Amino acid sequence: MPGPRFPLAIPSDSDFPLSNIPFGIFTTDENTTPRTGTAVGTLILDLALVEKHGLLGGLAGSTSFFSHATLNAFAAQPAAVRTAVRARIIELLQDGSSALFADAALNAVAFVQQSRAVMHLPMTIGDFSDFMCAEVHVTNCSKMDNAPGAPPNFFAMPTAYNGRASSVIVSGTPVRRPRGMLRMTGSPPSFAFVPTARIDYELEMGIFISQPVPFGTTISSADAAREHIFGLVMLNDWTARDVQFTEKTPLGPFNGKGSGTTISPWVVTLDALAGAEVAGTDAHALANMATRPPYLRHDAPAHTWNIRVTAALQRDAWPGGPVDVSASNLSALYWTPAQMVAYHASSGCGLRTGDLLGTGTISSPEPAEGAGPGVYSLGCLHELSKAGTQAFKLANGEEIIFVEDGDEVLLRGQVVRADGSTIGFGECRGRIEPVI
């Protein structure tokens, strides 16, 4: 069967125009070997085949990286090599005389419909750390915990916890409702190992590390830290709030956040985000930038990205598909992704290719531009339900508090450039299954 003709038919609302070229790992029924592809419209271009046929023109010398089961080998290449490879892929797709279209045998096998592919975790993830970098989110959570507002240390450094990579999962993988140790009512205090009653989503983005930071070394500035970012994904750090708040004193999150962290399968590179760079919108962060120590300071005026992020919820009994709940923007964070990377490395711990950092819940003062009625600026149900004390209403008239068994949460991200063109991150989807 012949493959697609030139030019490729890319839907106008696709997350994956030629200006995107994200990288992911896929298999098919016909070829169960995990390999690298890029999403183009509704298709996947098999980059392992492109590489095998010599179409990359020796841009990485004799190195082969697209036949691996993860993106780590490619992500570890110097930024200039990754940029050149991406540009070459775009060139091949824009040229009707390239082998992708002129070679009938290659054309027939180089493209796969996304609907026929199985996506896998894009990277071998050695470590996962999750930050808490939205001033609105930290302020709301602090007040619900009987504090007057965000603690002073939040404004001095991007705070985080060391998570676990074992339960980072790719979009579409179900998450089982966990059991955890919960404090029972009554006195004296008692605890029981029971199913969580308060499963929450967290609307986040994930940051994948490219070239490593060797152990014992640090990063000189937040601007320099961008050189260690391979790309971004959508990320949902599922949280059992009742378990989290039972165990958090005195050490912080542990099993309450251990049951699953869902990420989207396509890594969108910083090259694809060129043109979307902006200054952050948190006025306090901008005012304090000049007072930061050098390793946490951005001198570049555009130091984060204008990425609209949304969370939607689908409940089996609801007709009409997922209902939007949250809409915010990456640029609303007090601390930028690059500042998170620089701070993480500041202890000398080192960072490795494939390490994953979460931004923390992206909440903002106002819903993202384009959000409809009944959509909120807060990126988790803990905030929206005021720590589970009251239900809130969605645009479809339904009221919710936390995620129920059978619910599916869908996160998405989109860049809208000044010329009106868009790119997206694909789906970050997860369904909660009943406890065993």
Side-chain angles (χ1 to χ4, degrees):
M1 179 181 296
R5 296 181 178 180
F6 179 84
L8 295 177
I10 301 176
S12 59
D13 61 348
S14 173
D15 278 351
F16 308 117
L18 290 183
S19 56
N20 194 342
I21 309 297
F23 295 92
I25 300 296
F26 77 104
T27 57
T28 60
D29 289 343
E30 295 80 16
N31 185 347
T32 57
T33 300
R35 57 208 187 274
T36 301
T38 187
V40 186
T42 61
L43 301 170
I44 295 174
L45 174 62
D46 188 332
L47 295 178
L49 270 179
V50 171
E51 182 179 66
K52 181 178 179 181
H53 281 73
L55 300 184
L56 297 182
L59 291 171
S62 60
T63 302
S64 171
F65 37 69
F66 287 149
S67 60
H68 298 283
T70 72
L71 298 174
N72 290 56
F74 178 57
Q77 297 296 312
V81 171
R82 301 196 307 271
T83 296
V85 169
R86 177 178 174 273
R88 175 60 176 159
I89 294 167
I90 295 173
E91 179 184 340
L92 290 169
L93 290 167
Q94 289 179 328
D95 181 4
S97 65
S98 78
L100 291 180
F101 303 102
D103 183 334
L106 176 60
N107 176 258
V109 293
F111 296 93
V112 176
Q113 286 289 339
Q114 289 189 39
S115 59
R116 294 180 50 240
V118 175
M119 300 304 298
H120 302 271
L121 278 177
M123 307 282 280
T124 297
I125 304 169
D127 289 302
F128 167 58
S129 301
D130 196 40
F131 282 80
M132 193 173 183
C133 288
E135 183 176 358
V136 169
H137 176 67
V138 173
T139 298
N140 287 338
C141 291
S142 297
K143 288 181 177 179
M144 288 185 286
D145 205 23
N146 298 317
N153 67 326
F154 171 80
F155 300 101
M157 71 200 99
T159 54
Y161 74 94
N162 287 321
R164 72 276 149 261
S166 60
S167 57
V168 178
I169 51 178
V170 73
S171 175
T173 306
V175 177
R176 183 74 64 180
R177 180 178 293 271
R179 288 182 171 87
M181 293 299 294
L182 301 184
R183 180 169 178 161
M184 301 292 101
T185 57
S187 183
S190 63
F191 300 85
F193 187 60
V194 297
T196 174
R198 297 190 172 195
I199 290 187
D200 198 356
Y201 67 79
E202 291 190 335
L203 175 57
E204 303 190 32
M205 298 200 75
I207 305 155
F208 272 118
I209 298 299
S210 56
Q211 291 193 297
V213 179
F215 172 76
T217 65
T218 60
I219 301 173
S220 61
S221 71
D223 290 334
R226 285 177 51 136
E227 297 300 314
H228 296 276
I229 298 177
F230 173 46
L232 306 181
V233 293
M234 298 305 301
L235 184 149
N236 179 358
D237 199 32
W238 297 96
T239 305
R241 295 295 183 191
D242 42 7
V243 178
Q244 176 191 7
F245 287 103
T246 299
E247 70 184 3
K248 75 170 189 175
T249 304
L251 285 180
F254 190 56
N255 280 342
K257 289 178 170 286
S259 298
T261 297
T262 304
I263 65 171
S264 52
W266 295 106
V267 182
V268 176
T269 67
L270 298 198
D271 286 327
L273 297 176
E277 296 98 335
V278 293
T281 60
D282 188 301
H284 293 157
L286 291 175
N288 292 332
M289 187 68 74
T291 67
R292 300 274 173 234
Y295 82 101
L296 283 178
R297 190 163 61 233
H298 281 291
D299 292 320
H303 46 253
T304 186
W305 294 273
N306 179 15
I307 303 175
R308 182 178 184 268
V309 294
T310 61
L313 181 70
Q314 173 66 61
R315 190 159 285 176
D316 286 341
W318 297 350
V323 178
D324 286 343
V325 182
S326 304
S328 188
N329 197 294
L330 180 71
S331 64
L333 293 177
Y334 185 91
W335 297 100
T336 71
Q339 286 174 317
M340 298 175 211
V341 174
Y343 181 69
H344 199 308
S346 66
S347 68
C349 64
L351 293 172
R352 294 175 289 188
T353 301
D355 282 355
L356 177 64
L357 281 59
T359 62
T361 301
I362 304 174
S363 295
S364 56
E366 300 291 337
E369 184 179 355
V375 179
Y376 302 86
S377 67
L378 306 180
C380 68
L381 301 179
H382 178 67
E383 287 180 88
L384 288 166
S385 68
K386 301 188 184 305
T389 61
Q390 64 184 55
F392 65 97
K393 186 172 290 188
L394 303 180
N396 65 351
E398 299 285 348
E399 293 188 342
I400 65 170
I401 298 180
F402 286 109
V403 179
E404 298 181 1
D405 290 348
D407 286 355
E408 193 166 48
V409 175
L410 171 63
L411 308 187
R412 299 194 74 106
Q414 186 183 58
V415 172
V416 181
R417 295 195 178 94
D419 63 2
S421 63
T422 63
I423 67 170
F425 290 76
E427 293 187 344
C428 178
R429 184 185 292 269
R431 181 183 176 92
I432 295 297
E433 300 290 353
V435 67
I436 297 177

